[in-house]
Amino acid sequence: MNGMPDTTIAPALQRYAALDQRLLAAVRGIHILPTVAWPASLESRMIEAYGKGQFALPEVTYTRPDLAVARAELAAIEAAAGGNDPHDIDPLGDYLRRTAESWRIAAEMLESVGTAGFTAPSIALYGKPGDLIPGSQRSNLDAAHYFVELSDELGADLLADDSSVDMPAAELRDELAKTLDDFFGAGMIKVEVDAELTAKAAAGATRIRLRGDTCFSEYDRHQLLAHEAFVHSLTALNGRQQPLLASLARTSPRVTATQEGLAVFAELMSGAIDIARLKRISLRILAIDMALSGADFVEVYRYFSACGQSAADSFHSAQRVFRGVPLSGGAAFAKDNVYLSGLLTVHTFFRWAFKQQRMDLLRHLFAGKLTLHDVIALQPHFASGAILPPRWLPPWMQHVHGLAGKLAFSVFINGIHMNRVQGDELLSSV
């Protein structure tokens, strides 16, 4: 049910269902990525010029939305969901309060599009590279440096292993469509080629888009299935099954870190991630840090290029960092900060849940667009049936024994400190 609450919802919960509907109505006009998107014609022209060594800052204009009405309504929903005593709030009210707050911050961010004022709310939503990873004394920036250095050490040997043949977007579209029809049902998810798409791919509940001017490798195909289809689309479709909170079908800003972390974790569990992918994710975090420290668009482009990316990929990577902000340095769109920190946090959560013998928590993570906090806090409502378990699970989550084996190994191996292991010890033991 995605309409107004009906009499099948317990009276005690109907207030939350009504607030949830108000929330969805309030955010209908808030579109983060479309607001900061660059015209494809500009991209093509600038990529050609940059490829020839003709560097100039792109001239990008944005249409600044007026979201004052939405912000006021979201603030009212925050207040209503919070109740009179913030220490005695139902988990459903807390979920709605947190979600409304994140949309309100996103609205403030979009109303500052094209200015340096875009940066602060962006960081409030997605964090910054220097933030510590939960449970660690290392920062997201430390992790990014580690994976880039590791990739550079291994890359020369690994390149020879990649014998995949690039396929056009239209060919990949047909392959994905057949796989998704077999998994979800015929026509449940459409796969389309989109010439205007900035990212290589994007997924919604019922549509996956592929960038039209690029080719895809076999790794790309596996990653799209594991990341876009079996996480982003799957959680959206499961969210649409929810009888109480229809907002669980929509990605609010506050769930971005968990969603993207879960999606990259799914690549890891599916064997669909390679070291080059980890390097690309990590380079974006380093580039955000560069931009915040004053680097302009051309400097960040040259950084990606020096790291081995093509002119087109370097431009698109720099573009991701500078969407919505001035290109002269000192500002950034922080969204790409969440991919690595989200992966590491989700990985830790999976290991923790396994040690606690709470595989149910891991399954519930796919019931809709949820954060790790939500999965734990909303357990009473999963237990009561107010929130339904997921209808679909990714293939790797359906094989519980295989997942348990991977997690058991991960939990144990985490206790072995590689800096204490000597090579001769290993040789003498085999």
Side-chain angles (χ1 to χ4, degrees), residues 101-137:
E101 179 187 38
S102 75
W103 279 114
R104 179 176 54 77
I105 295 171
E108 294 170 357
M109 179 179 72
L110 295 181
E111 288 184 316
S112 300
V113 70
T115 75
F118 190 96
T119 300
S122 168
I123 290 173
L125 292 174
Y126 307 117
K128 59 183 184 299
D131 291 342
L132 293 182
I133 298 163
S136 169
Q137 293 303 307

Side-chain angles (χ1 to χ4, degrees), residues 192-211:
E192 301 174 354
V193 175
D194 185 348
E196 297 291 324
L197 191 63
T198 299
K200 205 167 187 179
T206 59
R207 182 175 66 150
I208 293 177
R209 293 177 293 154
L210 309 174
R211 194 168 74 212

Side-chain angles (χ1 to χ4, degrees), residues 25-85:
V27 305
R28 196 166 290 135
I30 303 175
H31 304 289
I32 296 175
L33 296 184
T35 300
V36 302
W38 293 14
S41 57
L42 170 67
E43 295 174 24
S44 300
R45 186 170 69 253
M46 297 302 295
I47 289 170
E48 182 179 359
Y50 277 35
K52 296 176 181 177
Q54 300 169 357
F55 299 112
L57 294 181
E59 295 182 5
V60 186
T61 58
Y62 301 99
T63 300
R64 192 172 301 167
D66 181 358
L67 299 171
V69 173
R71 283 190 290 106
E73 172 67 351
L74 288 166
I77 293 169
E78 283 181 66
N84 296 324
D85 184 356

